Coordinates of all heavy atoms in Angstrom, one line a residue:
N90 N -14.7 -16.4 5.1 CA -13.3 -16.3 4.2 C -13.5 -17.0 2.9 O -13.1 -16.6 1.9 CB -12.2 -16.8 5.0 CG -11.7 -15.7 6.1 OD1 -11.9 -14.6 5.9 ND2 -11.0 -16.3 7.1
W91 N -14.1 -18.3 3.1 CA -14.3 -19.0 1.9 C -15.3 -18.3 0.9 O -15.1 -18.2 -0.3 CB -14.8 -20.5 2.1 CG -13.7 -21.4 2.7 CD1 -13.5 -21.9 3.9 CD2 -12.7 -22.0 1.8 NE1 -12.4 -22.6 3.9 CE2 -11.8 -22.7 2.7 CE3 -12.3 -21.9 0.5 CZ2 -10.7 -23.5 2.1 CZ3 -11.1 -22.5 0.0 CH2 -10.5 -23.3 0.9
L92 N -16.4 -17.8 1.4 CA -17.4 -17.2 0.6 C -16.8 -15.9 -0.1 O -17.0 -15.7 -1.2 CB -18.6 -16.8 1.4 CG -19.5 -17.9 1.9 CD1 -20.5 -17.4 2.9 CD2 -20.3 -18.6 0.7
R93 N -15.9 -15.2 0.7 CA -15.3 -13.9 0.1 C -14.4 -14.4 -1.0 O -14.3 -13.7 -2.0 CB -14.6 -13.2 1.3 CG -14.2 -11.8 0.9 CD -13.6 -11.0 2.0 NE -14.7 -10.7 3.0 CZ -14.7 -11.2 4.2 NH1 -13.9 -12.1 4.7 NH2 -15.7 -10.9 4.9
A94 N -13.7 -15.4 -0.7 CA -12.7 -15.8 -1.8 C -13.4 -16.3 -3.0 O -13.0 -16.1 -4.2 CB -11.8 -17.0 -1.2
A95 N -14.5 -17.0 -2.9 CA -15.4 -17.4 -4.0 C -15.9 -16.3 -4.7 O -15.9 -16.2 -6.0 CB -16.5 -18.4 -3.6
V96 N -16.3 -15.2 -4.0 CA -16.8 -14.1 -4.7 C -15.8 -13.4 -5.5 O -16.0 -12.9 -6.6 CB -17.6 -13.1 -3.7 CG1 -17.9 -11.7 -4.4 CG2 -18.8 -13.8 -3.1
L97 N -14.7 -13.1 -4.8 CA -13.5 -12.5 -5.4 C -13.1 -13.2 -6.7 O -12.7 -12.7 -7.6 CB -12.5 -12.2 -4.5 CG -12.9 -11.2 -3.4 CD1 -11.7 -11.0 -2.4 CD2 -13.2 -9.8 -3.9
G98 N -13.0 -14.6 -6.6 CA -12.5 -15.5 -7.7 C -13.4 -15.3 -9.0 O -13.1 -15.1 -10.0
A99 N -14.8 -15.3 -8.6 CA -15.8 -15.1 -9.6 C -15.6 -13.8 -10.2 O -15.9 -13.6 -11.6 CB -17.2 -15.4 -9.0
N100 N -15.5 -12.7 -9.4 CA -15.3 -11.5 -10.0 C -14.1 -11.2 -11.0 O -14.1 -10.7 -12.0 CB -15.1 -10.4 -8.8 CG -15.3 -9.0 -9.2 OD1 -16.4 -8.5 -9.3 ND2 -14.2 -8.3 -9.3
D101 N -13.0 -12.0 -10.5 CA -11.8 -11.9 -11.3 C -12.1 -12.6 -12.7 O -11.7 -12.2 -13.7 CB -10.6 -12.6 -10.8 CG -10.0 -11.9 -9.6 OD1 -10.2 -10.6 -9.5 OD2 -9.3 -12.4 -8.7
G102 N -12.7 -13.7 -12.7 CA -13.1 -14.5 -13.8 C -14.0 -13.6 -14.9 O -13.8 -13.6 -16.0
I103 N -14.9 -13.0 -14.2 CA -15.9 -12.0 -15.1 C -15.1 -11.0 -15.7 O -15.2 -10.7 -16.9 CB -16.9 -11.4 -14.2 CG1 -17.9 -12.5 -13.6 CG2 -17.8 -10.4 -15.0 CD1 -18.8 -12.0 -12.5
V104 N -14.2 -10.2 -15.0 CA -13.6 -9.0 -15.5 C -12.6 -9.5 -16.6 O -12.5 -8.9 -17.6 CB -12.9 -8.2 -14.4 CG1 -12.1 -7.1 -14.9 CG2 -14.0 -7.6 -13.4
S105 N -11.6 -10.4 -16.2 CA -10.6 -10.8 -17.1 C -11.2 -11.4 -18.3 O -10.7 -11.0 -19.5 CB -9.5 -11.8 -16.4 OG -10.3 -12.9 -16.0
T106 N -12.1 -12.3 -18.3 CA -12.6 -12.8 -19.5 C -13.5 -11.9 -20.3 O -13.4 -11.9 -21.6 CB -13.4 -14.1 -19.2 OG1 -12.6 -15.0 -18.4 CG2 -13.9 -14.9 -20.4
A107 N -14.2 -11.0 -19.8 CA -14.9 -10.0 -20.3 C -13.9 -9.1 -21.1 O -14.2 -8.7 -22.3 CB -15.8 -9.3 -19.4
G108 N -13.0 -8.6 -20.4 CA -12.0 -7.8 -21.2 C -11.4 -8.4 -22.3 O -11.2 -7.9 -23.4
L109 N -11.0 -9.8 -22.2 CA -10.5 -10.4 -23.3 C -11.5 -10.6 -24.5 O -11.1 -10.2 -25.6 CB -10.0 -11.8 -22.9 CG -9.5 -12.7 -23.9 CD1 -8.2 -12.2 -24.4 CD2 -9.1 -14.0 -23.2
V110 N -12.6 -11.0 -24.2 CA -13.6 -11.3 -25.4 C -14.0 -10.0 -26.0 O -14.2 -9.9 -27.3 CB -14.8 -12.2 -25.0 CG1 -14.3 -13.6 -24.6 CG2 -15.5 -11.7 -23.9
V111 N -14.2 -9.0 -25.2 CA -14.7 -7.7 -25.7 C -13.5 -7.0 -26.6 O -13.7 -6.4 -27.7 CB -15.0 -6.8 -24.6 CG1 -15.3 -5.3 -25.2 CG2 -16.4 -7.2 -24.1
G112 N -12.4 -7.2 -26.1 CA -11.2 -6.8 -26.9 C -11.1 -7.5 -28.3 O -10.8 -7.0 -29.3
V113 N -11.3 -8.8 -28.3 CA -11.2 -9.6 -29.6 C -12.4 -9.1 -30.4 O -12.2 -9.1 -31.6 CB -11.2 -11.1 -29.3 CG1 -11.4 -11.9 -30.5 CG2 -10.0 -11.5 -28.5
A114 N -13.6 -8.9 -29.8 CA -14.7 -8.5 -30.5 C -14.5 -7.2 -31.3 O -15.1 -6.8 -32.2 CB -16.0 -8.4 -29.7
G115 N -13.6 -6.3 -30.7 CA -13.4 -5.0 -31.2 C -12.6 -5.2 -32.5 O -12.5 -4.3 -33.4
A116 N -11.8 -6.4 -32.6 CA -11.0 -6.6 -33.9 C -11.7 -7.5 -34.8 O -11.4 -7.4 -36.0 CB -9.7 -7.1 -33.4
T117 N -12.6 -8.5 -34.4 CA -13.2 -9.4 -35.3 C -14.5 -9.8 -34.9 O -14.7 -9.7 -33.6 CB -12.3 -10.6 -35.5 OG1 -12.9 -11.6 -36.5 CG2 -12.1 -11.3 -34.2
D118 N -15.5 -10.2 -35.7 CA -16.7 -10.6 -35.3 C -16.8 -12.2 -35.5 O -17.9 -12.8 -35.5 CB -18.0 -10.0 -36.0 CG -17.9 -10.1 -37.4 OD1 -16.9 -10.6 -38.1 OD2 -18.8 -9.6 -38.1
D119 N -15.7 -12.9 -35.7 CA -15.6 -14.2 -36.0 C -16.0 -15.1 -34.8 O -15.2 -14.9 -33.7 CB -14.2 -14.7 -36.6 CG -14.2 -16.1 -37.0 OD1 -14.9 -16.6 -37.9 OD2 -13.5 -16.8 -36.2
R120 N -16.9 -15.8 -34.7 CA -17.3 -16.6 -33.6 C -16.3 -17.6 -33.1 O -16.2 -17.8 -31.9 CB -18.8 -17.4 -33.9 CG -19.3 -17.9 -32.6 CD -20.5 -18.8 -32.9 NE -21.6 -18.1 -33.6 CZ -22.5 -17.4 -33.1 NH1 -22.7 -17.4 -31.8 NH2 -23.4 -16.8 -33.8
S121 N -15.6 -18.2 -34.0 CA -14.6 -19.2 -33.6 C -13.4 -18.4 -33.0 O -12.9 -19.0 -32.0 CB -14.0 -20.0 -34.9 OG -15.1 -20.7 -35.5
A122 N -13.1 -17.3 -33.4 CA -11.9 -16.6 -32.8 C -12.5 -16.2 -31.5 O -11.6 -16.2 -30.4 CB -11.6 -15.4 -33.7
L123 N -13.6 -15.6 -31.3 CA -14.1 -15.2 -30.0 C -14.1 -16.5 -28.9 O -13.7 -16.3 -27.8 CB -15.4 -14.7 -30.1 CG -15.6 -13.3 -30.8 CD1 -16.9 -13.0 -31.1 CD2 -14.9 -12.2 -30.0
L124 N -14.6 -17.5 -29.4 CA -14.7 -18.8 -28.6 C -13.3 -19.2 -28.1 O -13.2 -19.5 -27.0 CB -15.6 -19.8 -29.2 CG -15.7 -21.1 -28.5 CD1 -16.5 -21.0 -27.2 CD2 -16.5 -22.2 -29.4
T125 N -12.4 -19.3 -29.3 CA -11.0 -19.8 -28.8 C -10.4 -18.9 -27.8 O -9.7 -19.3 -26.9 CB -10.2 -19.7 -30.1 OG1 -10.8 -20.8 -31.1 CG2 -8.8 -20.2 -29.8
A126 N -10.5 -17.5 -28.0 CA -9.9 -16.6 -27.1 C -10.5 -16.7 -25.6 O -9.8 -16.7 -24.7 CB -10.0 -15.1 -27.6
G127 N -11.8 -16.7 -25.7 CA -12.6 -16.8 -24.4 C -12.1 -18.1 -23.7 O -11.8 -18.1 -22.4
L128 N -12.2 -19.2 -24.3 CA -11.7 -20.6 -23.6 C -10.3 -20.5 -23.2 O -10.1 -21.0 -22.1 CB -12.0 -21.8 -24.6 CG -13.5 -22.2 -24.8 CD1 -13.4 -23.3 -25.9 CD2 -14.0 -22.7 -23.5
A129 N -9.5 -20.0 -24.0 CA -8.0 -19.9 -23.6 C -7.9 -19.0 -22.4 O -7.1 -19.3 -21.4 CB -7.2 -19.3 -24.7
G130 N -8.6 -17.9 -22.4 CA -8.5 -17.0 -21.2 C -9.1 -17.7 -20.0 O -8.6 -17.5 -18.9
L131 N -10.3 -18.3 -20.1 CA -10.9 -19.1 -18.9 C -9.9 -20.1 -18.4 O -9.7 -20.2 -17.2 CB -12.2 -19.8 -19.5 CG -13.1 -20.4 -18.4 CD1 -14.5 -20.5 -18.8 CD2 -12.6 -21.9 -18.2
L132 N -9.4 -20.9 -19.2 CA -8.5 -22.1 -18.8 C -7.3 -21.5 -18.2 O -6.8 -21.9 -17.1 CB -8.1 -23.0 -19.9 CG -9.3 -23.8 -20.4 CD1 -8.9 -24.6 -21.6 CD2 -9.7 -24.7 -19.3

Side-chain angles (χ1 to χ4, degrees):
N90 285 336
W91 280 109
L92 288 172
R93 190 175 292 112
V96 169
L97 294 177
N100 194 80
D101 287 344
I103 294 169
V104 174
S105 61
T106 306
L109 178 60
V110 295
V111 168
V113 175
T117 179
D118 61 358
D119 182 70
R120 191 187 301 270
S121 296
L123 292 168
L124 181 60
T125 300
L128 282 175
L131 184 155
L132 291 173

